Amino acid sequence: MNDKRTIFKNIGKNLISLATSQLVNRLLGAIVLLILPRYLGPADYGIYMTALSFFGILCVLSGYGLDGLFIKDVSRDQTLSQRYFSTNVVIKEFLSFLLVIILGLTIYTLSYPAKTILAILTLAPAVFFYSIMNSYSAVFRAYEKMEYNAILEISVNLIRLLGILIVIQLGGGIFWIISIIVISYLAFDLIGFILINKKFFKIRWATDRHFIIDSFKKATPFFLVNAVAVIQGQIALIMLSKLGNNVEVGLFSAANELTNILYIIPNLTATVLFPVYSRQYHKSSESLVSASNLSLKYMVILGLPMSAGIYFVAPQAINFIFGSSFSGSVLILQILGLGIWMLFVANTIAYVLTAADRISYVTMGNTLTVILNITLNLLLIPAWGGAGVALSALICGIVSLVYFYIIINFSFKGLIILKSFVKPLLATVIMSGVIWWLSANLFFTILLGVITYGITIYLLKTLNKEELVMIRHMIPFIS
């Protein structure tokens, strides 16, 4: 019992650390989101997001799944830290160098306008700093010391926000704003280097050819999982920029940024629980199944009302945050919102399968959805623009969820996923009826939805006593 309580305490501490970090960072990001689209306008904001899309692809390719491998192995044996870390950085920086060269040739071939090309190339060198930053973050996660990651991320995002505000105050353009992003990643690396050396281990830049090759091979499954998941969204924006226009990219990006804020919930949970899942599976598959049931239940409870709520508040939210010039983002946000609960559940299942050494199934599922996504975008973007990208994402979400549901039920016995839906779905229907009937301004509607859903969940006794005790143990300041 004490061991179990210690595990829950540690999970709670890390969840609170990451949640605090994400909350503050999203707040800082929200300030940027309120200012930047209005300041740049739909066209320049579209260029900005196109540059970020290419940068996102560079980041995934340069990371090559090495951080996932580090977390998985070092969480079990911390004596591997120095060798894994130095090897990972060497591989990442070499890949970054090659990728920046390939990117330059690619965007020249795609015949983008000069302004878009310059924006992409201004941001591209940041991949060198971003790769090292993620290596530091992997150390914090493997050691389950998320508070260090939280402090660093908040500090860097504060630097970024202040820099952007100064640029806007001085009347600077998109290129100065992109330069601030590059500087913020560099700041993270400098602080992280000092922190790792003082608190964790001495960084020694030593590796060998055989270990590099071995790490590269072991990281490949992690890379395939991360690559197809992240690149899917980036490719969609790039396709929209070519098959549509910068205004369409700006409208879609505005809606997509709002839904991305909510995706921190499954990502944060998975970040904290992945090392725990990994250790549990090697002890017994039964303990992994028990933890999975609880995690999936929470994701359903949180995801369903968010999907429904976004559909109802989308018109008011878009107008309040971005202004009337982004009215074309309303339908896009509504479509994207419907898929939120699916991503919550599918993402959790994917991490469980990865921890249980079934990463090949995750790779296969993500690859299939990427192929489907690209095909649907080719068909839907010419007619629907940004809404076509959103509809494609929704269809892919449905396919992905069905696939992962089949795989995890085939892999483990004792999962009760469908049963977890009944009460949250009923509560969501009741909440939807109430906010549709009594809908007023944005903030009242959100508050009304939260109160209605919370009361309904409580009255339906969705969480049993054991689950409530687990939650209580996860709160660090409660004994």
Side-chain angles (χ1 to χ4, degrees):
M1 182 64 185
N2 287 334
D3 289 340
K4 185 176 287 189
R5 175 175 290 190
T6 300
I7 291 173
F8 286 130
K9 284 284 187 182
N10 202 32
I11 290 172
K13 174 180 70 71
N14 288 322
L15 274 174
I16 289 174
S17 295
L18 283 182
T20 301
S21 170
Q22 292 290 341
L23 181 62
V24 175
N25 289 334
R26 288 297 178 178
L27 178 61
L28 298 175
I31 297 173
V32 174
L33 197 60
L34 284 168
I35 297 171
L36 207 54
R38 292 173 182 262
Y39 178 73
L40 294 176
D44 272 4
Y45 188 64
I47 293 173
Y48 172 77
M49 292 306 299
T50 299
L52 285 181
S53 297
F54 276 104
F55 177 68
I57 293 176
L58 287 185
C59 291
V60 174
L61 295 178
S62 65
Y64 201 75
L66 292 161
D67 297 323
L69 177 65
F70 183 97
I71 295 168
K72 177 175 174 287
D73 289 352
V74 173
S75 65
R76 301 172 186 171
D77 184 1
Q78 293 182 358
T79 62
L80 300 172
S81 299
Q82 287 180 327
R83 197 177 189 197
Y84 268 64
F85 182 86
S86 59
T87 300
N88 288 1
V89 171
V90 169
I91 295 174
K92 286 181 177 183
E93 295 308 286
F94 176 74
L95 289 175
S96 297
F97 177 75
L98 291 179
L99 289 166
V100 170
I101 294 175
I102 294 172
L103 175 65
L105 297 174
T106 301
I107 59 174
Y108 177 78
T109 304
L110 291 174
S111 302
Y112 275 108
K115 189 174 184 180
T116 303
I117 291 175
L118 186 57
I120 295 169
L121 293 180
T122 302
L123 184 57
V127 71
F128 293 100
F129 308 130
Y130 183 89
S131 297
I132 297 175
M133 181 187 80
N134 274 356
S135 293
Y136 294 145
S137 295
V139 174
F140 304 140
R141 293 173 182 180
Y143 280 72
E144 296 184 57
K145 298 291 184 180
M146 315 298 185
E147 61 271 23
Y148 292 108
N149 198 69
I151 294 169
L152 272 176
E153 286 189 351
I154 291 172
S155 301
V156 169
N157 278 293
L158 271 172
I159 293 172
R160 183 180 301 176
L161 174 60
L162 290 173
I164 289 174
L165 291 176
I166 290 171
V167 168
I168 291 175
Q169 185 66 30
L170 296 175
I174 185 174
F175 302 106
W176 282 104
I177 291 172
I178 290 175
S179 298
I180 294 296
I181 296 175
V182 178
I183 294 170
S184 68
Y185 288 135
L186 175 59
F188 189 109
D189 288 353
L190 294 175
I191 300 171
F193 180 81
I194 296 171
L195 192 56
I196 295 293
N197 275 282
K198 285 192 173 184
K199 297 290 185 179
F200 295 89
F201 55 85
K202 296 295 181 183
I203 297 175
R204 295 175 181 174
W205 305 104
T207 186
D208 59 76
R209 181 171 60 88
H210 297 293
F211 194 72
I212 289 175
I213 294 172
D214 186 56
S215 297
F216 202 81
K217 289 179 180 178
K218 288 182 178 179
T220 298
F222 290 92
F223 164 70
L224 293 174
V225 169
N226 292 331
V228 295
V230 176
I231 291 176
Q232 177 175 326
Q234 309 303 336
I235 286 179
L237 274 178
I238 293 170
M239 292 178 71
L240 183 58
S241 72
K242 294 302 294 181
L243 298 175
N245 53 58
N246 287 330
V247 173
E248 287 286 349
V249 174
L251 294 175
F252 175 81
S253 298
N256 195 47
E257 282 295 299
L258 292 181
T259 55
N260 282 343
I261 292 174
L262 299 177
Y263 290 156
I264 67 172
I265 295 172
N267 292 335
L268 182 153
T269 305
T271 297
V272 172
L273 292 180
F274 180 60
V276 178
Y277 286 155
S278 183
R279 287 196 301 272
Q280 283 182 327
Y281 175 69
H282 281 268
K283 290 180 180 179
S284 71
S285 59
E286 289 78 13
S287 60
L288 177 60
V289 168
S290 177
S292 301
N293 279 329
L294 190 59
S295 300
L296 290 168
K297 185 174 183 177
Y298 289 153
M299 291 300 102
V300 171
I301 290 173
L302 292 172
L304 283 175
M306 289 181 182
S307 288
I310 284 176
Y311 183 85
F312 289 103
V313 304
Q316 295 168 311
I318 291 293
N319 185 62
F320 175 78
I321 297 172
F322 301 108
S324 58
S325 62
F326 281 82
S327 59
S329 297
V330 172
L331 177 60
I332 297 172
L333 179 58
Q334 289 176 322
I335 297 172
L336 290 174
L338 292 175
I340 284 177
W341 71 269
M342 300 179 201
L343 185 140
F344 276 32
V345 175
N347 187 73
T348 302
I349 295 175
Y351 270 93
V352 172
L353 291 172
T354 302
D357 295 327
R358 288 168 172 80
I359 195 170
S360 59
Y361 291 116
V362 181
T363 303
M364 186 182 300
N366 287 347
T367 302
L368 290 173
T369 55
V370 166
I371 295 171
L372 177 62
N373 183 256
I374 292 173
T375 304
L376 289 173
N377 281 332
L378 288 171
L379 296 173
L380 297 175
I381 288 176
W384 289 66
V389 178
L391 183 58
S392 173
L394 179 61
I395 295 171
C396 289
I398 296 171
V399 172
S400 178
L401 180 61
V402 171
Y403 170 84
F404 281 125
Y405 176 78
I406 293 172
I407 294 299
I408 199 166
N409 275 280
F410 175 78
S411 301
F412 300 102
K413 293 182 179 180
L415 288 166
I416 50 173
I417 300 175
L418 289 180
K419 186 178 178 181
S420 300
F421 274 84
V422 178
K423 292 180 180 179
L425 181 59
L426 178 59
T428 299
V429 171
I430 293 172
M431 179 201 77
S432 299
V434 170
I435 61 178
W436 175 76
W437 185 40
L438 298 175
S439 177
N441 63 65
L442 175 63
F443 297 104
F444 175 79
T445 302
I446 293 173
L447 182 61
L448 179 64
V450 170
I451 293 174
T452 303
Y453 184 75
I455 292 174
T456 308
I457 284 290
Y458 175 77
L459 293 176
L460 292 174
K461 298 182 179 179
T462 308
L463 295 172
N464 59 41
K465 291 183 178 180
E466 183 181 355
E467 290 164 347
L468 291 173
V469 170
M470 288 180 181
I471 293 174
R472 182 167 61 85
H473 286 164
M474 289 170 63
I475 303 175
F477 47 81
I478 295 181
S479 58

